[in-house]
Amino acid sequence: MTKKEKPTILVVNDDGIDAPGIKVLIDAMKDLGRVVVVAPDSPQSATGHAITIARPLRLDRVHIYPDVEMYKCSGTPVDCVKLAVNKVFHDQKPAICVSGINHGLNHSINVIYSGTMSAAVEGAIESIPSIGFSYDDFSYDADFSKCVPFVKAIARQVLEHGLPVGTLLNVNFPKAEKMKGIKICRQANAKWAEEFDERTDPHNRNYYWLTGVFQLNDKGEDTDVWALKNEYVSLVPIQFDLTAHHAIPVLNNWQFDVQEG
Amino acid sequence: MTKKEKPTILVVNDDGIDAPGIKVLIDAMKDLGRVVVVAPDSPQSATGHAITIARPLRLDRVHIYPDVEMYKCSGTPVDCVKLAVNKVFHDQKPAICVSGINHGLNHSINVIYSGTMSAAVEGAIESIPSIGFSYDDFSYDADFSKCVPFVKAIARQVLEHGLPVGTLLNVNFPKAEKMKGIKICRQANAKWAEEFDERTDPHNRNYYWLTGVFQLNDKGEDTDVWALKNEYVSLVPIQFDLTAHHAIPVLNNWQFDVQEG
């Protein structure tokens, strides 16, 4: 790439191509490069790293924001990244992949459920430096303006430095009068304690709505949850090698009694 | 638990409650404890860690194998685990959670896409010692009999020792005349190179089928892919803390130029 060539930036999300959060991200990225959007045609929150293998996918050019190359996809956020790489970029990778801005936080264990973060993970699997952005406001009318200077500053650093091999970034923004700055964090140890709301349908059959209570099991002051609570922007490097390397020596000492018939 | 009490074993999968692979796992676990099955009512391959939040879930008692307590669920494999914990066990956790036996391998990067493995990950998030099992045969008529002695031996060890905090096991079986034994491995560095099959529907609109070519980028002899190729059962400890801890010091040296308006 010559100095004058603008980097190509892939923008994805999980809230859908018409979500306000992706509009903010598109506008922020326009200052940094040539923007290409491939996003789901319907909300895909909490689809995790699901991909579509049992039915065909649609990918259609749309003109929602006329000055931007945009495609809507009938699949999951991860499908969007795969279709972008193969059918939009024809394996000429973009310089970076940014996902979001999600309506709602994706800190701690939420990374694993999040379509926003899974799209960024898929970007990283494709060796594209990738960042997921999420903001602590679920509402359609969320005001993302305070996130924008941070989004640009972080994306600029990734365009300049790339990212360590096999990693991506998870960035969360607190809902604060003034965000205090960026904290590099680890993912907090937390989980959702399930609570299913049990109801009866008009045909007298039971059904369940998933709800849950967030359980923080971590008093550390180096976590994303701590940073957000203290009005910092949290930045967690994420990896997709799921091997628990520290457990290998433990398991090597086990004796397996395999009784073959 | 007194010595005479049998441990309770939660069995889940992603191929659906009527898949032959889960029948094999149920039968193997009957020798080790009291089996409770909560499995999807339809195939859920490649649904990753998706959960169902935008529509209600069904959970119905079924009597497919009359001597076993079984429930079918309208959601994803992860939904099955959540419903099992909250609505079947009422937060009295089972001793272990086993997922599979999957029709098809889940080695290397496949863990992240796999419904089978995501169910086991959710079990681990719930602090239940969890194991995912997968076999190198996609067919409905796959012969799982050579897997069974290994399934039992590994489950027995986990019942006896538990697992290191925050980890679970990913076990894959090769299609071999004779499996050579168990190898403790790391996840191989690999990815799927996308290839979308582009077609035209009867209404003259394009659609795409996801296919892909497996790309192994790892010459190590300590990986799951190497073990399986050499006819060993691969056993990889997996974790759900996705923080790339090694990247934190790198990012701490970045200078972010946040230009607030």
Side-chain angles (χ1 to χ4, degrees):
Chain A
M1 190 168 68
T2 66
K3 274 218 164 172
K4 276 178 189 163
E5 239 176 85
K6 281 173 117 184
T8 301
I9 300 172
L10 171 61
V11 178
V12 295
N13 79 343
D14 77 349
D15 290 318
I17 198 158
D18 60 349
I22 199 169
K23 173 74 161 65
V24 174
L25 192 52
I26 291 167
D27 287 340
M29 290 303 110
K30 275 189 205 163
D31 289 351
L32 308 185
R34 182 176 79 87
V35 174
V36 177
V37 179
V38 183
D41 62 11
S42 66
Q44 298 284 327
S45 289
T47 51
H49 215 90
I51 53 174
T52 304
I53 54 172
R55 52 193 174 80
L57 289 167
R58 301 286 185 174
L59 179 73
D60 294 304
R61 182 79 193 259
V62 290
H63 303 278
I64 303 177
Y65 311 120
D67 53 339
V68 179
E69 185 178 340
M70 299 182 78
Y71 303 84
K72 67 174 181 179
C73 166
S74 62
T76 65
V78 173
D79 290 329
C80 290
V81 174
K82 286 182 176 288
L83 274 164
V85 167
N86 191 234
K87 288 293 167 191
V88 177
F89 295 110
H90 302 286
D91 300 311
Q92 301 294 312
K93 305 268 170 78
I96 58 169
C97 167
V98 292
S99 181
I101 301 174
N102 192 62
H103 293 242
L105 290 172
N106 282 312
H107 59 59
S108 66
I109 193 68
N110 296 294
V111 175
I112 215 165
Y113 303 99
S114 160
T116 302
M117 284 309 301
S118 295
V121 168
E122 186 65 23
I125 292 172
E126 290 288 351
S127 304
I128 305 163
S130 298
I131 319 166
F133 295 104
S134 307
Y135 177 46
D136 187 12
D137 191 335
F138 278 102
S139 71
Y140 188 85
D141 298 319
D143 175 9
F144 290 90
S145 59
K146 284 175 193 149
C147 309
V148 172
F150 292 95
V151 167
K152 286 186 188 174
I154 294 166
R156 267 196 217 101
Q157 284 292 302
V158 173
L159 280 165
E160 186 178 332
H161 298 292
L163 282 170
V165 173
T167 69
L168 60 143
L169 301 184
N170 180 22
V171 178
N172 282 272
F173 298 105
K175 198 167 181 174
E177 196 57 48
K178 185 175 164 56
M179 299 186 197
K180 288 184 188 161
I182 298 167
K183 282 258 188 224
I184 316 297
C185 308
R186 64 175 172 85
Q187 170 184 327
N189 180 5
K191 62 157 283 197
W192 289 92
E194 286 72 35
E195 289 189 359
F196 285 91
D197 198 9
E198 192 168 350
R199 302 184 180 194
T200 307
D201 73 14
H203 313 290
N204 217 30
R205 285 184 63 208
N206 279 4
Y207 64 96
Y208 302 90
W209 281 106
L210 175 58
T211 67
V213 176
F214 184 70
Q215 277 187 344
L216 180 65
N217 304 311
D218 199 324
K219 292 182 179 165
E221 300 193 350
D222 56 346
T223 72
D224 49 4
V225 171
W226 187 92
L228 291 161
K229 198 179 162 194
N230 288 276
E231 304 193 331
Y232 289 96
V233 177
S234 69
L235 191 162
V236 177
I238 296 288
Q239 62 189 2
F240 52 85
D241 174 1
L242 304 186
T243 309
H245 291 276
H246 65 284
I248 289 178
V250 177
L251 298 173
N252 267 322
N253 283 323
W254 283 14
Q255 301 294 329
F256 296 99
D257 180 22
V258 183
Q259 295 162 354
E260 292 181 71
Chain B
M1 190 168 68
T2 66
K3 275 220 164 171
K4 276 177 188 162
E5 240 178 84
K6 282 173 116 183
T8 300
I9 300 172
L10 170 61
V11 178
V12 296
N13 80 341
D14 77 350
D15 290 318
I17 197 158
D18 60 349
I22 199 169
K23 174 73 160 65
V24 174
L25 191 52
I26 291 167
D27 287 341
M29 290 303 110
K30 275 188 204 164
D31 290 351
L32 309 185
R34 183 176 79 86
V35 174
V36 177
V37 179
V38 183
D41 62 10
S42 66
Q44 297 282 328
S45 289
T47 50
H49 217 91
I51 53 173
T52 304
I53 55 171
R55 53 195 172 80
L57 288 167
R58 301 287 186 174
L59 179 74
D60 293 304
R61 183 77 193 259
V62 292
H63 303 279
I64 303 177
Y65 311 121
D67 54 339
V68 179
E69 186 178 338
M70 299 183 78
Y71 303 84
K72 67 174 181 179
C73 167
S74 61
T76 66
V78 173
D79 290 329
C80 290
V81 174
K82 287 183 175 287
L83 274 164
V85 167
N86 191 237
K87 289 292 167 191
V88 177
F89 295 110
H90 302 286
D91 299 312
Q92 300 293 310
K93 304 267 169 79
I96 59 170
C97 168
V98 292
S99 182
I101 301 173
N102 192 62
H103 293 241
L105 290 173
N106 282 312
H107 59 59
S108 65
I109 194 68
N110 296 293
V111 175
I112 215 165
Y113 302 100
S114 160
T116 301
M117 284 310 301
S118 295
V121 169
E122 187 65 24
I125 292 172
E126 290 287 352
S127 304
I128 306 163
S130 298
I131 319 166
F133 295 103
S134 306
Y135 177 46
D136 186 13
D137 191 334
F138 277 103
S139 72
Y140 188 85
D141 298 320
D143 175 8
F144 291 90
S145 59
K146 285 174 193 149
C147 309
V148 172
F150 292 96
V151 167
K152 287 186 187 174
I154 294 165
R156 268 197 217 99
Q157 285 292 302
V158 174
L159 280 166
E160 188 178 331
H161 299 293
L163 283 170
V165 172
T167 70
L168 60 142
L169 300 184
N170 180 22
V171 178
N172 282 272
F173 298 105
K175 198 167 181 176
E177 196 58 45
K178 186 176 163 53
M179 300 185 196
K180 288 183 187 160
I182 297 166
K183 282 260 188 224
I184 316 297
C185 308
R186 64 176 172 85
Q187 170 184 326
N189 180 6
K191 61 157 284 198
W192 289 92
E194 286 73 36
E195 289 189 359
F196 285 90
D197 199 10
E198 191 167 350
R199 303 184 180 195
T200 307
D201 73 14
H203 312 289
N204 216 29
R205 285 184 62 208
N206 279 3
Y207 64 96
Y208 302 90
W209 280 106
L210 175 58
T211 67
V213 176
F214 184 70
Q215 276 186 344
L216 180 64
N217 304 313
D218 198 325
K219 291 182 179 166
E221 299 193 352
D222 56 345
T223 72
D224 49 4
V225 171
W226 186 94
L228 291 161
K229 198 179 163 194
N230 288 274
E231 305 193 333
Y232 289 95
V233 176
S234 69
L235 192 162
V236 177
I238 296 289
Q239 62 189 2
F240 52 85
D241 174 1
L242 304 186
T243 309
H245 292 276
H246 64 284
I248 289 178
V250 177
L251 298 173
N252 267 322
N253 284 323
W254 284 13
Q255 301 295 329
F256 296 99
D257 180 22
V258 182
Q259 295 162 352
E260 291 180 70

